Amino acid sequence: MIRIDCPFCGLRDHSEFSYGGDASINYPPLDAPAEQWHDAVFLRENIRGRQLETWQHTSGCRMWLNVERDTVSHEIFAVWPAHRGYGRVLHAEKENTE
Amino acid sequence: MANRLSALAGHYSPGRFGAEGQAGVHLSVVADLRLHQVAAWPDSLPAVGQLLANSIGQAAKPGPGCAISSEQGAVLRIEPLKFWLLNLDPPTIEAEQGCSLDLSHSRTCVHIDGPQAQEFLGRLLPLDLRAAAFPDNRVASSALHHVGVTLWHRGGGYDLFIPRGFAVSIWEVLHATALQFGLEIS
């Protein structure tokens, strides 16, 4: 069982989240050649070890998250909001309560 | 004004069901729910949160996963930028600050209490509901039988907000699960 420490909700079970895909892809500009888009959309490294992923807390706060996870051990090293505005809000609130 | 009809009207009857002895779980349908969702932008969140807190006579907005309440109503923090406002109409909010949406008819609220309410909900939700992790006035959104629900720990019991279209099927799950504890419906 994977558990993800959501920055808003706290530690929650994997069943509440949806996997979003590889978070390390830099997508090309909209007018880039089809070959570049093909590579960005379809070619994946299939990493064995630490991987940067996106997850959405679909059954919780619905926030998109960046998650650094080991694909072998499922150990999670870091979780943070994918949207900078959300990250800023939650960081400021944490500072105020500490 | 038209009479409100609960999504569960005609689908349940009050009484005592299941295991004998003291009823472990009490269920009641909250009538005439007044619920508004208020969303803010990242930069306007402190101001909108303050406005909502003041509207129920409180000093500060609720933190992540928390609720504040008074005699006037309650404010639940359900998402990083979203609040639920219960039992009163939202204050006027400029478009640059955020927006509000009336959800009164889109959710069905079931109040759950009784000596085994926590154990009962533990069978249904992947949440740590022990007092240290989920004390009074904590709020959590989760999934119950793949349906997104929101749970508010209120006054020793729990308010469960269910999307209206799933109210009957979730009620059936609640009813069937509660029988083993002894169920009282009021």
Side-chain angles (χ1 to χ4, degrees), chain B residues 141-159:
Chain B
S141 292
S142 187
L144 198 165
H145 271 240
H146 304 281
V147 175
V149 296
T150 300
L151 188 72
W152 174 25
H153 192 182
R154 175 175 73 86
Y158 302 87
D159 274 0

Side-chain angles (χ1 to χ4, degrees), chain A residues 8-9 12-13 15-16 59-63 83 85-86 88-90 93, chain B residues 42-43 45 61 63-65 77-81 126-127 140-143:
Chain A
F8 184 79
C9 302
R12 294 291 187 88
D13 282 0
S15 62
E16 291 187 356
S59 297
C61 63
R62 309 197 60 81
M63 187 161 53
H83 189 284
Y86 283 58
R88 206 167 62 237
V89 162
L90 294 175
E93 280 196 305
Chain B
D43 293 333
L45 182 82
K61 71 176 189 300
R77 182 81 175 278
I78 55 149
E79 291 182 22
L81 302 180
L127 297 171
S141 292
S142 187

Side-chain angles (χ1 to χ4, degrees), chain B residues 68-91:
Chain B
I68 52 172
S69 58
S70 71
E71 287 182 357
Q72 289 113 296
V75 182
L76 280 57
R77 182 81 175 278
I78 55 149
E79 291 182 22
L81 302 180
K82 283 181 192 154
F83 300 89
W84 274 3
L85 191 61
L86 275 151
N87 296 332
L88 76 163
D89 289 334

Side-chain angles (χ1 to χ4, degrees), chain A residues 18-30:
Chain A
S18 303
Y19 180 65
D22 190 331
S24 66
I25 305 293
N26 286 317
Y27 288 94
L30 287 175

Side-chain angles (χ1 to χ4, degrees), chain B residues 32-48:
Chain B
D32 296 328
L33 182 70
R34 282 176 77 191
L35 171 65
H36 286 81
Q37 178 170 281
V38 179
W41 301 104
D43 293 333
S44 64
L45 182 82
V48 171

